[in-house]
């Protein structure tokens, strides 16, 4: 290997990741989780964005698993 995480003394060097580098990923995954929570918990109800029963059928078992009522 040309580069190794282990130094010549046998100890590994771990570089810390700054909050500035993590922030965009945290925002992305936070928004993704909110969208998934919406589709599992609220879609096909009073706030439905997509008409029909397609989304309801795709997330039906997940709703019951998470305790959301759907029928």
């Amino acid at each position: 290997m040309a580069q190794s995480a282990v130094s010549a003394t046998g100890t590994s060097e771990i570089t810390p990741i700054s909050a500035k580098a993590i922030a965009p990923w945290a925002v992305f995954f936070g928004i993704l989780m909110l969208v998934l929570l919406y589709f599992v918990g609220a879609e096909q109800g009073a706030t439905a964005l997509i008409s029909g029963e397609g989304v309801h059928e795709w997330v039906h078992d997940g709703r019951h698993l998470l305790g959301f009522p759907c029928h």
Side-chain angles (χ1 to χ4, degrees):
M1 263 194 261
Q3 295 177 347
S4 177
V6 179
S7 65
T9 60
T11 60
S12 62
E13 297 176 19
I14 299 174
T15 57
I17 300 173
S18 68
K20 197 176 208 180
I22 293 175
W25 290 103
V27 169
F28 171 73
F29 284 113
I31 291 171
L32 182 64
M33 291 298 113
L34 287 174
V35 168
L36 289 173
L37 182 64
Y38 168 77
F39 276 110
V40 171
E43 183 64 25
Q44 299 299 328
T47 61
L49 296 176
I50 301 171
S51 63
E53 292 290 320
V55 173
H56 176 84
E57 293 302 322
W58 276 96
V59 297
H60 185 92
D61 293 336
R63 284 182 177 175
H64 290 296
L65 180 68
L66 295 173
F68 288 101
C70 64
H71 49 89

